[in-house]
Amino acid sequence: MLLVLSEEQKAHLGCLPQAGDAAVGELGRLALELLRRGATPRACEATARKLNVGVDTVQHGVEGLAYLLTESSKLMVSEVDFQDSIHVLGFSEELNKLLLQLYLDNRKEIRSILGELTPKLPSYHSLEWRLDVQLASRSLRQQIKPAVTIKLHLNQNEDQTAQVLQTDPSTLLHLIQQLEQALGEMKTNHCRRIVRNMK
Amino acid sequence: ILDDPDLKDIDPTVLKHCHAAAATCILEAGKQKADVSAISTCLEDCKLDKERIEQFCTEYQKNKDALEILLGSIGRSPLHITDVSWRLEYQIKSNQLHKTYQPSYLVTLNVENSDSGSHPDVSFTCTMEQLQDLVGKLKDAAKSLERATQM
């Protein structure tokens, strides 16, 4: 699958050929920082001074590179497709190789950053359990009532919540049976066929 | 009771007192898990004759188990899990990231609150490894339960 770059983006990346290899590396680093942490105007200014170009040029170059990297990582573009996509920019062989290397080296990290942007439900973090036996209450003395108290830790948008829940022994066994069935589903032929055919 | 035709002739206030007294006696007996002799002694002190004591005790014995269950269910406890539902899905892509190809489980624990009857269920997603971790821990709990019953 080929990337399609708009005219504006091509213009942004147009500053790269004049920059030289070390500078491209520097711009690549800035692009990754942009993805990891957000805009870094100071770093852009410093680089602009070092390379003796305008701040705007540096910023556009960084943004253009960031777009190139995120789009390729998002679509999981193959090496060949990546090379074909940037071919249209008319860069030198070395620059193309540099960009390809930059893409391949950082693809995994960019994909994991993008993965955090998807809509999410609270996700499982861990579970603690405790076995209790209730011996008496205000309404009834001399009881023997076993219960399992569970503390369920969940992550929601970087907050950890803990919820305290309780079950009785028979429900616990039922839960285990149901969830084991759920785990078993991935191993059925149906699921295996789908996983195989959807690469 | 106030509408019962058999009890029409008795003064309503007396009826209410009798009802309250009987209810209190039954609840106390149930709470303390009193046996027949303890109840008989108590009623003798209240100057009831033998026949009435026997009638009361017979009725009490008939309903004792139901009473105990009822009393045992009163009281506060953390949210109680009653059931679980799960959904297995295979993620293909999102608008931010294509070609993810990851199986993921959505688990919902149906939860009941002893006070208000119902409560929003607890839902969460997890990967296969996380679900295995969860099931492993629940199995540990079940094993320790089994060991405790054998002690």
Side-chain angles (χ1 to χ4, degrees):
Chain A
M1 187 174 199
L2 288 183
L3 278 182
V4 180
L5 299 166
S6 72
E7 285 310 312
E8 192 184 346
Q9 285 154 349
K10 286 188 200 160
H12 285 180
L13 291 168
C15 71
L16 289 180
Q18 299 110 324
D21 291 353
V24 172
E26 184 66 21
L27 289 176
R29 201 184 56 81
L30 282 176
L32 288 169
E33 273 310 299
L34 174 68
L35 292 174
R36 283 185 203 125
R37 256 166 270 195
T40 49
R42 282 218 181 153
C44 284
E45 278 170 22
T47 315
R49 256 177 282 133
K50 209 163 60 166
L51 299 175
N52 219 357
V53 289
V55 176
D56 284 342
T57 322
V58 170
Q59 203 142 23
H60 287 161
V62 169
E63 282 167 19
L65 258 181
Y67 177 77
L68 180 66
L69 290 172
T70 36
E71 274 307 293
S72 334
S73 304
K74 165 170 143 182
L75 300 169
M76 200 64 175
V77 167
S78 66
E79 280 184 40
V80 176
D81 286 343
F82 185 82
Q83 280 170 327
D84 290 340
S85 309
I86 56 178
H87 191 67
V88 74
L89 297 166
F91 292 162
S92 67
E93 263 311 297
E94 279 143 38
L95 186 53
N96 285 350
K97 255 198 241 158
L98 251 176
L99 289 175
L100 178 64
Q101 205 49 46
L102 192 62
Y103 165 58
L104 291 175
D105 289 340
N106 296 295
R107 176 163 64 175
K108 206 164 168 200
E109 189 189 346
I110 298 177
R111 277 180 74 79
S112 72
I113 296 174
L114 290 175
E116 289 169 30
L117 294 171
T118 49
K120 274 200 193 128
L121 289 161
S123 74
Y124 173 77
H125 184 254
S126 66
L127 180 129
E128 297 166 36
W129 59 267
R130 185 179 81 188
L131 182 56
D132 292 332
V133 178
Q134 181 168 313
L135 299 173
S137 72
R138 184 176 162 181
S139 349
L140 185 61
R141 310 292 146 80
Q142 297 178 40
Q143 299 175 27
I144 299 182
K145 199 156 113 175
V148 179
T149 308
I150 293 177
K151 196 164 177 188
L152 184 62
H153 293 271
L154 300 174
N155 286 330
Q156 167 118 46
N157 300 333
E158 285 152 24
D159 304 317
Q160 264 211 28
T161 60
Q163 212 158 17
V164 179
L165 305 161
Q166 205 176 56
T167 13
D168 47 271
S170 47
T171 315
L172 177 65
L173 294 175
H174 170 70
L175 290 182
I176 293 175
Q177 186 203 38
Q178 287 295 313
L179 293 176
E180 276 186 329
Q181 272 180 11
L183 279 174
E185 273 306 304
M186 267 314 282
K187 303 200 183 108
T188 59
N189 285 331
H190 176 76
C191 290
R192 282 208 167 123
R193 225 181 301 135
I194 293 185
V195 170
R196 256 205 308 265
N197 291 326
M198 275 223 217
K199 285 256 172 241
Chain B
I1 320 175
L2 295 174
D3 297 329
D4 195 315
D6 292 336
L7 305 170
K8 209 169 25 160
D9 303 323
I10 314 177
D11 174 20
T13 328
V14 173
L15 255 183
K16 270 200 211 157
H17 283 170
C18 291
H19 182 248
T24 316
C25 181
I26 294 171
L27 283 175
E28 265 311 299
K31 178 159 82 172
Q32 305 289 346
K33 289 204 175 184
D35 57 13
V36 175
S37 58
I39 304 178
S40 310
T41 323
C42 172
L43 293 176
E44 269 168 25
D45 289 341
C46 300
K47 313 250 189 334
L48 264 75
D49 59 51
K50 262 215 161 27
E51 202 191 296
R52 291 194 185 189
I53 294 179
E54 236 181 82
Q55 234 176 1
F56 186 88
C57 286
T58 325
E59 277 307 306
Y60 178 76
Q61 286 293 87
K62 261 198 261 172
N63 296 300
K64 191 167 84 120
D65 290 333
L67 178 65
E68 265 173 38
I69 294 174
L70 179 63
L71 285 175
S73 67
I74 301 174
R76 293 198 193 285
S77 74
L79 299 169
H80 194 96
I81 304 177
T82 50
D83 201 357
V84 66
S85 355
W86 54 268
R87 185 176 85 190
L88 169 59
E89 49 187 34
Y90 196 60
Q91 288 172 359
I92 310 177
K93 59 161 81 166
S94 70
N95 67 332
Q96 307 287 2
L97 190 58
H98 293 206
K99 302 198 188 175
T100 39
Y101 299 137
Q102 269 267 6
S104 126
Y105 286 94
L106 173 62
V107 178
T108 302
L109 295 170
N110 304 106
V111 162
E112 240 178 44
N113 197 340
S114 54
D115 299 334
S116 51
S118 71
H119 186 272
D121 294 329
V122 178
S123 292
F124 58 90
T125 57
C126 56
T127 63
M128 195 152 164
E129 292 77 26
Q130 285 170 333
L131 188 59
Q132 277 167 340
D133 177 66
L134 172 61
V135 174
K137 293 207 170 111
L138 290 180
K139 280 166 116 166
D140 288 339
K143 253 186 250 160
S144 98
L145 248 178
E146 228 186 279
R147 256 181 272 136
T149 55
Q150 286 162 1
M151 280 201 283

